[in-house]
Amino acid sequence: MLNLRTLGRLAAVTAVFVLGAVVAVLVRQDATVTALKDTRAFPGLADGIPDIARIEMSWNRDGAVEQVTVAREDGIWRILEQGGYPADTGRVRDFVLSLAELKLVEAKTADPGRYGRLGVADVEEAGSEATRVRLLGREGGVLADVLIGNERTDGTGAPMVYIRPGNEARSWLALGRVDDVQRAASWADNTVIDIGADRVQEIHLTGPDGKVLEVRRTGEGEKPFELVNMPEDREFATFYTLNEITDGLAKLSFEEVRSITGMAFEPSLGNAIYQTRSGLTVIVDFAEVPGEDGNVQTWTHFSINVAPDATEEAKSFADSHQERLSQWAYRLSASRIERLRHTLETATKPSEKSG
């Protein structure tokens, strides 16, 4: 029969063996990480960034493969699925660097039946959560081809991600993070224009009925603007309405962008005209286009005119915006469209004083 002393000795021996096993596992894991921590997933990619001419990204959405392609043309990165709209060079650089900086940590499964757990199944497979990335050189050669899978963190909270080279069965756990790129617009600088109320002198918003809402700067201070043709029996709809109108071009960004080719910007839909204190006139025209869901979408086109006595700053602003704005149509958020299409009816309400 075992007495308490014997049981204590057995428990101590068992604890030593368990501790030893745990330490052995930790040592093996640490040895793996140590051995691979300086092994780049894509050796030489960082030095080869200038040679990259095309980036292809694809993924599966609802059983269909979608793709975004960013290609360098005449030194400018362009998004092919958006008619060649300029991509944000900084985002392209950061994305490629995030791939170049990935470091292999641990070899994982080579069993296709288990790819789904790591998010590295082929994008052609329904339900795949992977993003396939291909980097191509100037001559069309493949510089990198990889499936980006699920993210996780290590014990210190550092980002990690599962990856699988596109032509290999073996998957890997890598140290690092790759940006989500599953929207064409995410590759572009989505700023359309940025003209704050402090730069605005006068605004004319013409509705489809031809009626004009006119806002004009009358001074400085807290209330520098007034609605010129405000009816005596009406007042602004909300405390913020006037600010919405005068800030209509401030930090304006798009939801989608496409070439103006084939789009009809009808005068019958009205327009918005903003004149600045420095001599710029920004004209916003509208087009109504059926969306993929069958609903009508409002698209905008921006043009800039420069007065003969415009300031040098205004001329420089026009030079840096005119070429881009002239070629593209932008779909804005519903709230920003409302600001540009205010009418006397939407911007005002019956005055409480008149009641």
Side-chain angles (χ1 to χ4, degrees):
M1 180 177 295
L2 297 176
N3 56 34
L4 291 177
R5 178 177 297 179
T6 303
L7 286 173
R9 289 175 179 173
L10 286 174
V13 171
T14 300
V16 169
F17 276 108
V18 170
L19 179 61
V22 171
V23 170
V25 170
L26 292 176
V27 168
R28 284 200 303 272
Q29 290 180 341
D30 183 66
T32 301
V33 173
T34 301
L36 294 175
K37 71 176 182 179
D38 291 323
T39 301
R40 301 280 180 175
F42 307 101
L45 181 58
D47 295 331
I49 289 178
D51 298 323
I52 298 172
R54 185 181 178 98
I55 305 173
E56 297 176 351
M57 294 138 293
S58 57
W59 55 89
N60 192 300
R61 180 166 294 161
D62 299 327
V65 177
E66 297 182 353
Q67 179 167 312
V68 171
T69 307
V70 182
R72 183 154 44 187
E73 299 177 357
D74 299 324
I76 300 175
W77 285 100
R78 298 187 180 277
I79 307 166
L80 301 192
E81 285 75 13
Q82 290 190 323
Y85 192 78
D88 186 321
T89 302
R91 295 184 188 183
V92 173
R93 182 190 63 248
D94 291 346
F95 176 76
V96 176
L97 283 175
S98 71
L99 286 175
E101 292 172 355
L102 287 178
K103 296 179 180 179
L104 299 180
V105 172
E106 184 180 357
K108 305 302 288 187
T109 185
D111 179 2
R114 302 178 66 184
Y115 288 160
R117 300 179 184 180
L118 307 184
V120 294
D122 291 337
V123 296
E124 291 79 9
E125 295 185 14
S128 171
E129 297 179 354
T131 299
R132 185 175 185 179
V133 179
R134 298 176 77 237
L135 306 183
L136 307 180
R138 300 178 189 276
E139 304 300 324
V142 178
L143 304 179
D145 183 358
V146 64
L147 290 150
I148 308 297
N150 298 336
E151 296 180 348
R152 53 165 286 187
T153 58
D154 68 6
T156 66
M160 306 179 84
V161 63
Y162 293 106
I163 65 173
R164 181 168 67 88
N167 59 349
E168 296 182 13
R170 175 67 59 191
S171 58
W172 293 84
L173 176 63
L175 184 65
R177 181 179 181 276
V178 181
D179 291 338
D180 179 17
V181 293
Q182 292 190 4
R183 283 184 66 238
S186 68
W187 284 93
D189 178 351
N190 67 347
T191 300
V192 179
I193 200 167
D194 184 10
I195 297 178
D198 60 315
R199 298 166 63 186
V200 172
Q201 179 64 36
E202 196 167 314
I203 302 168
H204 296 79
L205 305 183
T206 302
D209 59 2
K211 294 181 180 179
V212 180
L213 184 153
E214 182 178 351
V215 174
R216 184 177 300 166
R217 179 179 291 276
T218 57
E220 304 295 337
E222 294 183 1
K223 297 182 178 180
F225 295 98
E226 69 175 23
L227 181 58
V228 174
N229 47 355
M230 172 76 83
E232 293 183 359
D233 60 345
R234 297 184 72 84
E235 62 184 18
F236 282 111
T238 72
F239 178 79
Y240 304 102
T241 302
L242 185 57
N243 289 342
E244 290 178 356
I245 296 171
T246 57
D247 267 335
L249 300 183
K251 293 181 171 55
L252 189 59
S253 59
F254 65 81
E255 300 284 321
E256 290 184 67
V257 59
R258 57 186 283 189
S259 169
I260 63 171
T261 303
M263 300 187 74
F265 292 89
E266 301 288 351
S268 61
L269 296 176
N271 64 19
I273 300 176
Y274 282 70
Q275 296 176 338
T276 72
R277 307 167 80 175
S278 60
L280 292 175
T281 298
V282 179
I283 304 170
V284 187
D285 294 306
F286 304 103
E288 293 184 345
V289 180
E292 293 182 359
D293 58 0
N295 294 323
V296 174
Q297 296 179 336
T298 299
W299 286 71
T300 59
H301 178 257
F302 293 73
S303 54
I304 301 178
N305 295 330
V306 185
D309 60 348
T311 65
E312 290 302 315
E313 180 184 3
K315 294 176 182 177
S316 176
F317 182 93
D319 288 342
S320 64
H321 286 72
Q322 275 179 325
E323 183 177 358
R324 172 176 58 84
L325 293 177
S326 66
Q327 301 177 49
W328 305 98
Y330 300 94
R331 187 177 67 80
L332 313 178
S333 67
S335 62
R336 297 311 296 260
I337 286 289
E338 289 175 3
R339 294 189 185 193
L340 298 173
R341 304 195 78 178
H342 263 305
T343 65
L344 279 173
E345 287 68 30
T346 64
T348 65
K349 65 180 181 180
S351 173
E352 295 181 359
K353 296 179 181 179
S354 65

